[in-house]
Amino acid sequence: MKRKIMLLIGACIFTVIALTSIQGYFIYNTYQLNEKEINTAIKKQIARLEDTEEWENLNNTWAARSKEYSKQYLKGDVTKQNFIQYLSSNKDSLSAAMNTYMKKMAEPEDYDIDYSIYLNSIIVINNKKTDTLFKGKALILANDTLKKNQILSSIGRWEIQDSDTELSMIVKSERYYGFDKLQQTIISKMAGLLLFSVVLMVFVVFLYYMSLKNLITQKRIADIKTDFVNNITHEFQTPLATMDIAIKTLQRKDKQMSPEHYTNTLSMIARQNERLQKLFRQVTEASVMPIANKDIIQVTDEEIKDMIDDFKLSKPNAVIEFSCQKEAFSIPMDRFHFNTILINLLDNAVKYGADKIETDLKITDKSIILSVKDNGKGISTQEQVSIFDKFYRVEKGNIHNSKGLGLGLFYIKQLVETYSGNIRVVSAEAKGSLFIITIPV
Ligand code: ADP
């Protein structure tokens, strides 16, 4: 069963990982699709920008000036350096014009892009002789939002002929656009989908968690019940078998049976009968009968001392100490309830290996604190959370080193809770245990 649960947990983890990966893959694809869609829309936006007479004029300004420079360059009136200076001095006014133009052309659904044109080269051809006026990458114009992340939108190459001379020019340029809010725009577009995916995954994980938790709890309850049936069978078997033998002895009507033997056999039956009754009481008290009325009757110091003395008589091998800071006192609790709590704790201490038990009672204005400390075998930290559960025993399955039904601490806890109190344990394996009960007054 444990292996089955482990397999199931493994399968759940695998499914969650697989589902997350598939979802991640789909989200990534959707992201890319959105990216493509936005880029296509931007390209359309640029095509609209570049398809007007105004833009044509703007673009022709520097082309015409470049032609002039080419002519002058051939005549030797200007140098390449002069041309570069022209480009850089002209850049600002062209950019300003471009900026105004873009603002004018903007439409509500447009993306907030930057736009720029770079000159790559100008080759001057005169009488079949070529000369390079410019080669490199010089900014011609850009709108004022120009950022670093630019995407190449188109490469232009065209030839300009001069009608008066033999001169012609080959101009190469590049146009760029940039949209720095691309990621942000896509993510906000996909926000709903992302949120839904996360919620769905959390829901799936939660469902798995709840189902597995339920399964483990069911399995634990089933195990505990099986253990209980085993324990009860074991517990009832001994007194029943002993009684059986004793009754058969009496039935033989043995003439030679001494009065002493007769009395012993009878008291053996009485003892086993009492044990059976005690077992029966334990089961019914804890599982069938609700905790009876908690009439606030007082328990006096004398009664408590008597309870401990009686217990001492039944366990002569154990040293049992009792202390209380008050001499004469009384506690607002039902005597039977207090007795059950105290004797069950003491009984457990002896049953689980203690030969020295220290019982202490503190009475304050606010609460009563009863502590029972033993030097027994102790309880491991993992077990401490479960020992107050119904039918829970540390010795599980068919191991029965000590008798019990796993009901004592459960019953004590129920009783303590009826008085709105609490019980806790401080213990470690082989280090003894300390049970502390706090009941508010
Ligand atoms: P039972 O004694 O019938 O098994 P309890 O409910 O009284 O049932 O105790 C539950 C379990 O807690 C026990 O099986 C035992 O292992 C552990 N336990 C209780 N008291 C002590 C103690 N004083 N020292 C060590 N273990 C204890």
Side-chain angles (χ1 to χ4, degrees):
M1 188 68 181
K2 212 169 187 178
R3 219 177 132 237
K4 258 189 193 169
I5 290 179
M6 289 317 281
L7 271 175
L8 214 68
I9 293 176
C12 287
I13 292 174
F14 174 77
T15 319
V16 169
I17 292 174
L19 276 177
T20 319
S21 315
I22 292 171
Q23 229 173 20
Y25 174 73
F26 281 130
I27 288 173
Y28 177 69
N29 269 355
T30 316
Y31 182 92
Q32 285 201 319
L33 221 73
N34 272 303
E35 191 175 8
K36 261 189 202 153
E37 213 173 79
I38 292 178
N39 277 327
T40 314
I42 290 176
K43 279 185 183 145
K44 269 191 195 154
Q45 190 179 325
I46 293 173
R48 204 185 70 232
L49 270 183
E50 292 175 347
D51 193 28
T52 67
E53 215 167 294
E54 202 173 340
W55 185 85
E56 203 81 10
N57 290 339
L58 210 71
N59 205 26
N60 278 343
T61 323
W62 67 273
R65 277 300 275 149
S66 301
K67 197 164 103 183
E68 284 309 309
Y69 262 93
S70 300
K71 277 193 206 169
Q72 287 174 9
Y73 171 69
L74 284 180
K75 280 190 213 156
D77 292 349
V78 292
T79 62
K80 289 182 186 180
Q81 202 52 43
N82 292 136
F83 180 64
I84 292 168
Q85 271 163 7
Y86 155 72
L87 286 178
S88 86
S89 63
N90 207 37
K91 178 176 74 183
D92 288 346
S93 62
L94 270 181
S95 295
M98 186 64 196
N99 212 27
T100 323
Y101 170 68
M102 276 178 75
K103 278 189 181 137
K104 196 178 85 187
M105 292 290 288
E107 284 184 11
E109 70 276 11
D110 275 359
Y111 291 103
D112 191 11
I113 58 164
D114 8 288
Y115 178 84
S116 52
I117 300 179
Y118 288 84
L119 175 66
N120 291 110
S121 66
I122 294 185
I123 296 166
V124 188
I125 306 166
N126 188 31
N127 289 330
K128 297 205 170 104
K129 269 171 65 192
T130 59
D131 196 352
T132 307
L133 175 62
F134 175 78
K135 193 158 176 60
K137 192 174 178 184
L139 180 67
I140 290 173
L141 59 86
N143 71 325
D144 60 358
T145 56
L146 189 68
K147 308 263 164 26
K148 270 182 196 145
N149 291 335
Q150 296 179 53
I151 302 158
L152 184 64
S153 103
S154 64
I155 299 174
R157 182 189 182 281
W158 71 94
E159 213 173 316
I160 305 172
Q161 291 281 347
D162 186 34
S163 45
D164 308 336
T165 58
E166 285 285 290
L167 177 85
S168 71
M169 288 157 58
I170 297 172
V171 182
K172 278 189 194 164
S173 70
E174 282 172 346
R175 284 169 210 165
Y176 287 87
Y177 73 89
F179 181 44
D180 66 328
K181 285 188 195 130
L182 182 71
Q183 217 171 16
Q184 220 174 308
T185 313
I186 300 174
I187 289 174
S188 68
K189 255 183 154 186
M190 291 170 61
L193 178 79
L194 285 173
L195 193 77
F196 183 65
S197 307
V198 171
V199 170
L200 203 70
M201 270 333 284
V202 170
F203 189 62
V204 168
V205 170
F206 177 72
L207 274 186
Y208 275 148
Y209 170 75
M210 288 310 285
S211 314
L212 284 173
K213 201 176 148 209
N214 249 342
L215 193 79
I216 292 167
T217 316
Q218 293 297 332
K219 151 105 177 67
R220 206 170 142 246
I221 293 172
D223 283 355
I224 288 174
K225 283 195 174 153
T226 318
D227 279 356
F228 172 67
V229 173
N230 290 342
N231 283 333
I232 208 159
T233 320
H234 173 84
E235 292 291 292
F236 275 77
Q237 240 164 18
T238 325
L240 284 176
T242 321
M243 274 165 92
D244 194 42
I245 296 168
I247 290 166
K248 276 187 184 138
T249 313
L250 289 181
Q251 273 172 342
R252 263 192 271 129
K253 294 190 181 130
D254 205 335
K255 293 268 176 348
Q256 284 169 5
M257 186 184 243
S258 66
E260 196 186 337
H261 190 183
Y262 180 77
T263 324
N264 278 349
T265 315
L266 264 189
S267 62
M268 188 194 283
I269 295 176
R271 269 202 315 276
Q272 297 309 326
N273 180 39
E274 196 189 323
R275 168 134 188 80
L276 276 178
Q277 278 184 19
K278 195 179 158 198
L279 278 170
F280 182 72
R281 256 201 320 273
Q282 254 192 34
V283 179
T284 46
E285 269 166 2
S287 44
V288 186
M289 293 196 308
I291 289 177
N293 59 340
K294 60 159 228 200
D295 294 338
I296 306 297
I297 309 166
Q298 306 283 321
V299 192
T300 62
D301 56 325
E302 284 302 322
E303 282 167 336
I304 294 175
K305 278 171 197 151
D306 284 348
M307 287 175 200
I308 291 178
D309 286 343
D310 285 353
F311 185 77
K312 272 182 185 170
L313 279 179
S314 67
K315 311 280 175 197
N317 295 332
V319 178
I320 302 162
E321 288 168 6
F322 174 71
S323 61
C324 181
Q325 93 277 33
K326 283 193 179 174
E327 285 277 301
F329 59 86
S330 65
I331 307 172
M333 269 180 89
D334 181 288
R335 194 183 334 123
F336 172 73
H337 289 167
F338 189 85
N339 187 49
T340 311
I341 294 173
L342 182 67
I343 300 304
N344 263 314
L345 286 178
L346 294 176
D347 204 33
N348 271 352
V350 177
K351 197 158 72 172
Y352 299 108
D355 55 15
K356 186 165 192 281
I357 309 167
E358 292 162 41
T359 312
D360 181 67
L361 196 63
K362 269 196 188 67
I363 305 163
T364 68
D365 292 344
K366 287 184 186 153
S367 56
I368 301 160
I369 303 164
L370 170 71
S371 57
V372 177
K373 188 173 173 221
D374 67 52
N375 63 348
K377 64 177 183 177
I379 307 158
S380 70
T381 323
Q382 295 136 266
E383 300 286 0
Q384 285 172 23
V385 278
S386 310
I387 53 169
F388 299 102
D389 292 351
K390 199 174 186 178
F391 304 141
Y392 192 87
R393 302 205 70 215
V394 175
E395 285 162 3
K396 294 190 189 66
N398 287 321
I399 311 162
H400 299 290
N401 293 335
S402 55
K403 291 176 180 178
L405 297 175
L407 288 170
L409 289 179
F410 169 74
Y411 190 51
I412 293 178
K413 190 163 184 253
Q414 299 269 302
L415 271 177
V416 168
E417 280 171 0
T418 352
Y419 288 92
S420 316
N422 66 66
I423 177 165
R424 62 192 177 91
V425 61
V426 183
S427 182
E429 258 176 311
K431 297 253 166 73
S433 313
L434 166 67
F435 284 88
I436 305 166
I437 290 173
T438 312
I439 291 173
V441 180

